[in-house]
Every structure is written in structure tokens, then in C-alpha cells.
Amino acid sequence: MRGEIKVVRNMSKFMTPDQISEASGLEPEYIQKILMHIRNNPEESDAWIAARILDAD
């Protein structure tokens, strides 16, 4: 999961969520969750964001 977060974090700099979904094969809803956590907590590591997503599910 941390790898997916890193990919989304990097791709979000130059792609829309829909483009990220198409390129990565990840579900749009999952990408939105990741982007929400990245925007709300930009200083947090990918591991912490992964933990937050897992705790929320």
C-alpha cells in the first residue's frame, strides 16, 4: 500500500485523479482517499497515510 501511495503522490503533481486511475489501475475512490489524506496531512509519511486508510476501513 505504501508503494501505491507514493505513486499517487508523485502522479498527482501532473495528473488528474481520473488519469491516475487509468494509468495505475487503481480504483478512483481509493485514489480520492489517498489524495484526501495527502492534502490534509502533506508532512506525513506514506506509511502513516497507509495506516490511516487501513484504520478507516
Side-chain angles (χ1 to χ4, degrees):
M1 177 181 275
R2 288 184 346 202
E4 294 168 350
I5 294 170
K6 183 176 182 172
V7 167
V8 171
R9 184 187 300 269
N10 290 335
M11 292 176 113
S12 70
K13 295 174 185 173
F14 56 91
M15 297 175 85
T16 66
D18 289 335
Q19 291 172 323
I20 296 169
S21 178
E22 288 179 26
S24 66
L26 299 172
E27 293 293 322
E29 297 83 16
Y30 181 58
I31 291 171
Q32 290 297 338
K33 282 183 187 180
I34 293 172
L35 291 174
M36 178 189 69
H37 285 285
I38 290 171
R39 288 183 187 122
N40 291 338
N41 307 294
E43 70 286 345
E44 284 195 348
S45 70
D46 295 345
W48 276 107
I49 292 173
R52 286 180 183 271
I53 291 171
L54 289 174
D55 285 343
D57 290 340

mmCIF file of all heavy atoms in Angstrom, residues 3-40:
data_model
loop_
_atom_site.group_PDB
_atom_site.id
_atom_site.type_symbol
_atom_site.label_atom_id
_atom_site.label_comp_id
_atom_site.label_asym_id
_atom_site.label_seq_id
_atom_site.Cartn_x
_atom_site.Cartn_y
_atom_site.Cartn_z
ATOM 1 N N GLY A 3 3.616 1.748 -1.443
ATOM 2 C CA GLY A 3 4.065 1.987 -2.808
ATOM 3 C C GLY A 3 2.993 2.658 -3.651
ATOM 4 O O GLY A 3 3.284 3.538 -4.465
ATOM 5 N N GLU A 4 1.746 2.229 -3.445
ATOM 6 C CA GLU A 4 0.638 2.844 -4.172
ATOM 7 C C GLU A 4 0.491 4.311 -3.787
ATOM 8 O O GLU A 4 0.238 5.166 -4.634
ATOM 9 C CB GLU A 4 -0.662 2.095 -3.883
ATOM 10 C CG GLU A 4 -0.679 0.685 -4.412
ATOM 11 C CD GLU A 4 -1.826 -0.134 -3.881
ATOM 12 O OE1 GLU A 4 -2.529 0.306 -2.938
ATOM 13 O OE2 GLU A 4 -2.034 -1.239 -4.411
ATOM 14 N N ILE A 5 0.654 4.596 -2.505
ATOM 15 C CA ILE A 5 0.540 5.978 -2.035
ATOM 16 C C ILE A 5 1.647 6.824 -2.639
ATOM 17 O O ILE A 5 1.408 7.949 -3.084
ATOM 18 C CB ILE A 5 0.545 6.032 -0.498
ATOM 19 C CG1 ILE A 5 -0.723 5.365 0.030
ATOM 20 C CG2 ILE A 5 0.659 7.468 0.004
ATOM 21 C CD1 ILE A 5 -0.751 5.123 1.506
ATOM 22 N N LYS A 6 2.849 6.274 -2.701
ATOM 23 C CA LYS A 6 3.967 7.014 -3.299
ATOM 24 C C LYS A 6 3.695 7.304 -4.770
ATOM 25 O O LYS A 6 3.937 8.418 -5.248
ATOM 26 C CB LYS A 6 5.261 6.212 -3.150
ATOM 27 C CG LYS A 6 6.469 6.925 -3.681
ATOM 28 C CD LYS A 6 7.726 6.135 -3.430
ATOM 29 C CE LYS A 6 8.924 6.914 -3.928
ATOM 30 N NZ LYS A 6 10.172 6.274 -3.551
ATOM 31 N N VAL A 7 3.168 6.320 -5.490
ATOM 32 C CA VAL A 7 2.851 6.509 -6.907
ATOM 33 C C VAL A 7 1.800 7.598 -7.068
ATOM 34 O O VAL A 7 1.951 8.507 -7.894
ATOM 35 C CB VAL A 7 2.377 5.182 -7.545
ATOM 36 C CG1 VAL A 7 1.749 5.411 -8.905
ATOM 37 C CG2 VAL A 7 3.539 4.210 -7.655
ATOM 38 N N VAL A 8 0.725 7.532 -6.272
ATOM 39 C CA VAL A 8 -0.341 8.530 -6.373
ATOM 40 C C VAL A 8 0.194 9.904 -5.995
ATOM 41 O O VAL A 8 -0.114 10.900 -6.656
ATOM 42 C CB VAL A 8 -1.550 8.142 -5.494
ATOM 43 C CG1 VAL A 8 -2.553 9.274 -5.416
ATOM 44 C CG2 VAL A 8 -2.212 6.878 -6.035
ATOM 45 N N ARG A 9 1.022 9.975 -4.955
ATOM 46 C CA ARG A 9 1.595 11.260 -4.535
ATOM 47 C C ARG A 9 2.400 11.880 -5.678
ATOM 48 O O ARG A 9 2.258 13.064 -5.985
ATOM 49 C CB ARG A 9 2.492 11.064 -3.310
ATOM 50 C CG ARG A 9 3.058 12.345 -2.743
ATOM 51 C CD ARG A 9 4.067 12.093 -1.642
ATOM 52 N NE ARG A 9 3.584 11.390 -0.498
ATOM 53 C CZ ARG A 9 3.075 11.972 0.593
ATOM 54 N NH1 ARG A 9 2.974 13.277 0.653
ATOM 55 N NH2 ARG A 9 2.681 11.237 1.611
ATOM 56 N N ASN A 10 3.223 11.087 -6.324
ATOM 57 C CA ASN A 10 4.060 11.596 -7.416
ATOM 58 C C ASN A 10 3.238 11.943 -8.658
ATOM 59 O O ASN A 10 3.465 12.978 -9.287
ATOM 60 C CB ASN A 10 5.145 10.589 -7.770
ATOM 61 C CG ASN A 10 6.196 10.477 -6.693
ATOM 62 O OD1 ASN A 10 6.414 11.396 -5.916
ATOM 63 N ND2 ASN A 10 6.839 9.325 -6.616
ATOM 64 N N MET A 11 2.294 11.089 -8.998
ATOM 65 C CA MET A 11 1.481 11.324 -10.197
ATOM 66 C C MET A 11 0.552 12.522 -10.020
ATOM 67 O O MET A 11 0.220 13.193 -11.000
ATOM 68 C CB MET A 11 0.671 10.083 -10.543
ATOM 69 C CG MET A 11 1.498 8.915 -10.999
ATOM 70 S SD MET A 11 0.459 7.473 -11.271
ATOM 71 C CE MET A 11 0.622 7.304 -13.038
ATOM 72 N N SER A 12 0.125 12.789 -8.794
ATOM 73 C CA SER A 12 -0.839 13.869 -8.564
ATOM 74 C C SER A 12 -0.256 15.246 -8.852
ATOM 75 O O SER A 12 -1.002 16.212 -8.995
ATOM 76 C CB SER A 12 -1.368 13.820 -7.127
ATOM 77 O OG SER A 12 -0.363 14.178 -6.200
ATOM 78 N N LYS A 13 1.044 15.312 -8.984
ATOM 79 C CA LYS A 13 1.689 16.592 -9.295
ATOM 80 C C LYS A 13 1.418 17.038 -10.729
ATOM 81 O O LYS A 13 1.488 18.225 -11.021
ATOM 82 C CB LYS A 13 3.194 16.497 -9.050
ATOM 83 C CG LYS A 13 3.534 16.269 -7.595
ATOM 84 C CD LYS A 13 5.006 16.040 -7.390
ATOM 85 C CE LYS A 13 5.269 15.706 -5.925
ATOM 86 N NZ LYS A 13 6.647 15.311 -5.693
ATOM 87 N N PHE A 14 1.107 16.075 -11.605
ATOM 88 C CA PHE A 14 0.921 16.437 -13.006
ATOM 89 C C PHE A 14 -0.236 15.711 -13.686
ATOM 90 O O PHE A 14 -0.410 15.829 -14.895
ATOM 91 C CB PHE A 14 2.207 16.199 -13.801
ATOM 92 C CG PHE A 14 2.736 14.795 -13.707
ATOM 93 C CD1 PHE A 14 2.355 13.842 -14.614
ATOM 94 C CD2 PHE A 14 3.620 14.442 -12.704
ATOM 95 C CE1 PHE A 14 2.836 12.549 -14.530
ATOM 96 C CE2 PHE A 14 4.109 13.147 -12.612
ATOM 97 C CZ PHE A 14 3.713 12.203 -13.527
ATOM 98 N N MET A 15 -1.059 14.977 -12.909
ATOM 99 C CA MET A 15 -2.182 14.242 -13.489
ATOM 100 C C MET A 15 -3.436 14.443 -12.643
ATOM 101 O O MET A 15 -3.338 14.653 -11.436
ATOM 102 C CB MET A 15 -1.874 12.743 -13.568
ATOM 103 C CG MET A 15 -0.719 12.385 -14.467
ATOM 104 S SD MET A 15 -0.309 10.634 -14.399
ATOM 105 C CE MET A 15 -1.456 9.980 -15.577
ATOM 106 N N THR A 16 -4.584 14.320 -13.281
ATOM 107 C CA THR A 16 -5.850 14.372 -12.557
ATOM 108 C C THR A 16 -6.104 12.999 -11.914
ATOM 109 O O THR A 16 -5.505 11.995 -12.327
ATOM 110 C CB THR A 16 -7.014 14.696 -13.507
ATOM 111 O OG1 THR A 16 -7.182 13.602 -14.417
ATOM 112 C CG2 THR A 16 -6.776 15.987 -14.264
ATOM 113 N N PRO A 17 -7.007 12.930 -10.938
ATOM 114 C CA PRO A 17 -7.330 11.630 -10.339
ATOM 115 C C PRO A 17 -7.799 10.592 -11.364
ATOM 116 O O PRO A 17 -7.440 9.412 -11.258
ATOM 117 C CB PRO A 17 -8.439 11.965 -9.336
ATOM 118 C CG PRO A 17 -8.141 13.373 -8.930
ATOM 119 C CD PRO A 17 -7.652 14.027 -10.204
ATOM 120 N N ASP A 18 -8.568 11.014 -12.356
ATOM 121 C CA ASP A 18 -9.016 10.072 -13.386
ATOM 122 C C ASP A 18 -7.849 9.533 -14.207
ATOM 123 O O ASP A 18 -7.796 8.350 -14.534
ATOM 124 C CB ASP A 18 -10.040 10.728 -14.312
ATOM 125 C CG ASP A 18 -11.379 10.952 -13.635
ATOM 126 O OD1 ASP A 18 -11.695 10.228 -12.665
ATOM 127 O OD2 ASP A 18 -12.108 11.853 -14.072
ATOM 128 N N GLN A 19 -6.901 10.403 -14.527
ATOM 129 C CA GLN A 19 -5.716 9.967 -15.274
ATOM 130 C C GLN A 19 -4.867 9.020 -14.430
ATOM 131 O O GLN A 19 -4.326 8.045 -14.949
ATOM 132 C CB GLN A 19 -4.882 11.173 -15.700
ATOM 133 C CG GLN A 19 -5.539 12.026 -16.761
ATOM 134 C CD GLN A 19 -4.766 13.309 -17.012
ATOM 135 O OE1 GLN A 19 -4.228 13.912 -16.097
ATOM 136 N NE2 GLN A 19 -4.743 13.732 -18.276
ATOM 137 N N ILE A 20 -4.769 9.301 -13.139
ATOM 138 C CA ILE A 20 -4.014 8.417 -12.242
ATOM 139 C C ILE A 20 -4.672 7.041 -12.212
ATOM 140 O O ILE A 20 -3.999 6.017 -12.273
ATOM 141 C CB ILE A 20 -3.919 9.002 -10.821
ATOM 142 C CG1 ILE A 20 -3.124 10.303 -10.841
ATOM 143 C CG2 ILE A 20 -3.277 7.998 -9.868
ATOM 144 C CD1 ILE A 20 -3.192 11.085 -9.537
ATOM 145 N N SER A 21 -5.995 7.020 -12.113
ATOM 146 C CA SER A 21 -6.729 5.755 -12.085
ATOM 147 C C SER A 21 -6.473 4.940 -13.343
ATOM 148 O O SER A 21 -6.209 3.737 -13.268
ATOM 149 C CB SER A 21 -8.220 6.030 -11.920
ATOM 150 O OG SER A 21 -8.954 4.829 -11.927
ATOM 151 N N GLU A 22 -6.547 5.586 -14.487
ATOM 152 C CA GLU A 22 -6.301 4.882 -15.747
ATOM 153 C C GLU A 22 -4.870 4.372 -15.846
ATOM 154 O O GLU A 22 -4.629 3.249 -16.276
ATOM 155 C CB GLU A 22 -6.599 5.801 -16.923
ATOM 156 C CG GLU A 22 -8.069 6.073 -17.131
ATOM 157 C CD GLU A 22 -8.319 7.008 -18.302
ATOM 158 O OE1 GLU A 22 -7.479 7.062 -19.213
ATOM 159 O OE2 GLU A 22 -9.365 7.680 -18.281
ATOM 160 N N ALA A 23 -3.923 5.186 -15.431
ATOM 161 C CA ALA A 23 -2.508 4.811 -15.556
ATOM 162 C C ALA A 23 -2.090 3.746 -14.542
ATOM 163 O O ALA A 23 -1.272 2.882 -14.847
ATOM 164 C CB ALA A 23 -1.630 6.045 -15.400
ATOM 165 N N SER A 24 -2.662 3.805 -13.348
ATOM 166 C CA SER A 24 -2.218 2.904 -12.281
ATOM 167 C C SER A 24 -3.090 1.663 -12.133
ATOM 168 O O SER A 24 -2.659 0.676 -11.532
ATOM 169 C CB SER A 24 -2.208 3.649 -10.948
ATOM 170 O OG SER A 24 -3.533 4.001 -10.559
ATOM 171 N N GLY A 25 -4.316 1.743 -12.638
ATOM 172 C CA GLY A 25 -5.228 0.617 -12.473
ATOM 173 C C GLY A 25 -5.905 0.588 -11.116
ATOM 174 O O GLY A 25 -6.579 -0.377 -10.784
ATOM 175 N N LEU A 26 -5.717 1.630 -10.324
ATOM 176 C CA LEU A 26 -6.342 1.708 -9.003
ATOM 177 C C LEU A 26 -7.752 2.294 -9.127
ATOM 178 O O LEU A 26 -8.023 3.068 -10.037
ATOM 179 C CB LEU A 26 -5.508 2.581 -8.065
ATOM 180 C CG LEU A 26 -4.086 2.105 -7.782
ATOM 181 C CD1 LEU A 26 -3.327 3.161 -7.001
ATOM 182 C CD2 LEU A 26 -4.112 0.794 -7.029
ATOM 183 N N GLU A 27 -8.604 1.920 -8.200
ATOM 184 C CA GLU A 27 -9.979 2.421 -8.191
ATOM 185 C C GLU A 27 -10.000 3.921 -7.905
ATOM 186 O O GLU A 27 -9.250 4.400 -7.044
ATOM 187 C CB GLU A 27 -10.795 1.698 -7.119
ATOM 188 C CG GLU A 27 -11.014 0.232 -7.409
ATOM 189 C CD GLU A 27 -11.902 0.009 -8.615
ATOM 190 O OE1 GLU A 27 -12.861 0.768 -8.807
ATOM 191 O OE2 GLU A 27 -11.624 -0.934 -9.363
ATOM 192 N N PRO A 28 -10.853 4.674 -8.601
ATOM 193 C CA PRO A 28 -10.933 6.122 -8.376
ATOM 194 C C PRO A 28 -11.245 6.499 -6.923
ATOM 195 O O PRO A 28 -10.702 7.474 -6.402
ATOM 196 C CB PRO A 28 -12.062 6.573 -9.305
ATOM 197 C CG PRO A 28 -12.138 5.528 -10.353
ATOM 198 C CD PRO A 28 -11.733 4.245 -9.684
ATOM 199 N N GLU A 29 -12.100 5.715 -6.254
ATOM 200 C CA GLU A 29 -12.442 6.012 -4.864
ATOM 201 C C GLU A 29 -11.218 5.875 -3.952
ATOM 202 O O GLU A 29 -11.034 6.647 -3.017
ATOM 203 C CB GLU A 29 -13.566 5.091 -4.365
ATOM 204 C CG GLU A 29 -14.874 5.261 -5.105
ATOM 205 C CD GLU A 29 -14.923 4.471 -6.414
ATOM 206 O OE1 GLU A 29 -14.101 3.560 -6.626
ATOM 207 O OE2 GLU A 29 -15.791 4.808 -7.245
ATOM 208 N N TYR A 30 -10.408 4.870 -4.227
ATOM 209 C CA TYR A 30 -9.188 4.645 -3.451
ATOM 210 C C TYR A 30 -8.208 5.795 -3.673
ATOM 211 O O TYR A 30 -7.600 6.296 -2.724
ATOM 212 C CB TYR A 30 -8.579 3.305 -3.866
ATOM 213 C CG TYR A 30 -7.328 2.918 -3.137
ATOM 214 C CD1 TYR A 30 -7.306 2.796 -1.764
ATOM 215 C CD2 TYR A 30 -6.166 2.645 -3.847
ATOM 216 C CE1 TYR A 30 -6.146 2.410 -1.094
ATOM 217 C CE2 TYR A 30 -5.012 2.261 -3.197
ATOM 218 C CZ TYR A 30 -5.015 2.149 -1.820
ATOM 219 O OH TYR A 30 -3.863 1.781 -1.165
ATOM 220 N N ILE A 31 -8.086 6.241 -4.897
ATOM 221 C CA ILE A 31 -7.206 7.368 -5.211
ATOM 222 C C ILE A 31 -7.694 8.619 -4.487
ATOM 223 O O ILE A 31 -6.896 9.377 -3.933
ATOM 224 C CB ILE A 31 -7.119 7.588 -6.734
ATOM 225 C CG1 ILE A 31 -6.356 6.422 -7.356
ATOM 226 C CG2 ILE A 31 -6.439 8.914 -7.068
ATOM 227 C CD1 ILE A 31 -6.380 6.387 -8.855
ATOM 228 N N GLN A 32 -9.005 8.835 -4.458
ATOM 229 C CA GLN A 32 -9.556 10.001 -3.755
ATOM 230 C C GLN A 32 -9.229 9.953 -2.264
ATOM 231 O O GLN A 32 -8.903 10.980 -1.665
ATOM 232 C CB GLN A 32 -11.078 10.085 -3.967
ATOM 233 C CG GLN A 32 -11.478 10.456 -5.370
ATOM 234 C CD GLN A 32 -11.008 11.844 -5.779
ATOM 235 O OE1 GLN A 32 -10.740 12.708 -4.968
ATOM 236 N NE2 GLN A 32 -10.907 12.053 -7.076
ATOM 237 N N LYS A 33 -9.305 8.760 -1.656
ATOM 238 C CA LYS A 33 -8.947 8.619 -0.234
ATOM 239 C C LYS A 33 -7.490 9.007 -0.012
ATOM 240 O O LYS A 33 -7.161 9.726 0.920
ATOM 241 C CB LYS A 33 -9.142 7.175 0.238
ATOM 242 C CG LYS A 33 -10.536 6.776 0.524
ATOM 243 C CD LYS A 33 -10.539 5.358 1.055
ATOM 244 C CE LYS A 33 -11.919 4.814 1.220
ATOM 245 N NZ LYS A 33 -11.906 3.429 1.728
ATOM 246 N N ILE A 34 -6.625 8.485 -0.873
ATOM 247 C CA ILE A 34 -5.196 8.783 -0.740
ATOM 248 C C ILE A 34 -4.951 10.279 -0.895
ATOM 249 O O ILE A 34 -4.249 10.888 -0.077
ATOM 250 C CB ILE A 34 -4.372 7.987 -1.782
ATOM 251 C CG1 ILE A 34 -4.435 6.491 -1.477
ATOM 252 C CG2 ILE A 34 -2.922 8.478 -1.804
ATOM 253 C CD1 ILE A 34 -3.824 5.618 -2.565
ATOM 254 N N LEU A 35 -5.537 10.883 -1.921
ATOM 255 C CA LEU A 35 -5.332 12.314 -2.163
ATOM 256 C C LEU A 35 -5.867 13.156 -1.014
ATOM 257 O O LEU A 35 -5.251 14.157 -0.635
ATOM 258 C CB LEU A 35 -5.973 12.727 -3.483
ATOM 259 C CG LEU A 35 -5.294 12.189 -4.736
ATOM 260 C CD1 LEU A 35 -6.112 12.546 -5.970
ATOM 261 C CD2 LEU A 35 -3.876 12.707 -4.857
ATOM 262 N N MET A 36 -6.988 12.759 -0.425
ATOM 263 C CA MET A 36 -7.549 13.491 0.711
ATOM 264 C C MET A 36 -6.553 13.482 1.879
ATOM 265 O O MET A 36 -6.284 14.513 2.482
ATOM 266 C CB MET A 36 -8.868 12.872 1.161
ATOM 267 C CG MET A 36 -9.478 13.555 2.372
ATOM 268 S SD MET A 36 -10.879 12.668 3.038
ATOM 269 C CE MET A 36 -10.067 11.213 3.698
ATOM 270 N N HIS A 37 -5.973 12.321 2.161
ATOM 271 C CA HIS A 37 -5.010 12.226 3.257
ATOM 272 C C HIS A 37 -3.730 12.995 2.946
ATOM 273 O O HIS A 37 -3.162 13.629 3.832
ATOM 274 C CB HIS A 37 -4.700 10.763 3.567
ATOM 275 C CG HIS A 37 -5.796 10.069 4.299
ATOM 276 N ND1 HIS A 37 -6.053 10.276 5.622
ATOM 277 C CD2 HIS A 37 -6.722 9.182 3.880
ATOM 278 C CE1 HIS A 37 -7.080 9.547 6.002
ATOM 279 N NE2 HIS A 37 -7.506 8.867 4.946
ATOM 280 N N ILE A 38 -3.288 12.957 1.702
ATOM 281 C CA ILE A 38 -2.080 13.701 1.315
ATOM 282 C C ILE A 38 -2.318 15.198 1.467
ATOM 283 O O ILE A 38 -1.464 15.915 1.989
ATOM 284 C CB ILE A 38 -1.663 13.350 -0.130
ATOM 285 C CG1 ILE A 38 -1.133 11.922 -0.189
ATOM 286 C CG2 ILE A 38 -0.615 14.339 -0.644
ATOM 287 C CD1 ILE A 38 -0.901 11.402 -1.600
ATOM 288 N N ARG A 39 -3.476 15.674 1.038
ATOM 289 C CA ARG A 39 -3.776 17.112 1.130
ATOM 290 C C ARG A 39 -3.939 17.558 2.582
ATOM 291 O O ARG A 39 -3.516 18.650 2.948
ATOM 292 C CB ARG A 39 -5.021 17.439 0.326
ATOM 293 C CG ARG A 39 -4.779 17.382 -1.158
ATOM 294 C CD ARG A 39 -6.013 17.774 -1.960
ATOM 295 N NE ARG A 39 -5.780 17.533 -3.378
ATOM 296 C CZ ARG A 39 -6.527 16.751 -4.129
ATOM 297 N NH1 ARG A 39 -7.580 16.150 -3.636
ATOM 298 N NH2 ARG A 39 -6.229 16.590 -5.409
ATOM 299 N N ASN A 40 -4.598 16.728 3.388
ATOM 300 C CA ASN A 40 -4.843 17.091 4.787
ATOM 301 C C ASN A 40 -3.609 16.941 5.662
ATOM 302 O O ASN A 40 -3.508 17.589 6.706
ATOM 303 C CB ASN A 40 -5.989 16.256 5.370
ATOM 304 C CG ASN A 40 -7.317 16.600 4.764
ATOM 305 O OD1 ASN A 40 -7.507 17.683 4.219
ATOM 306 N ND2 ASN A 40 -8.255 15.678 4.831
#
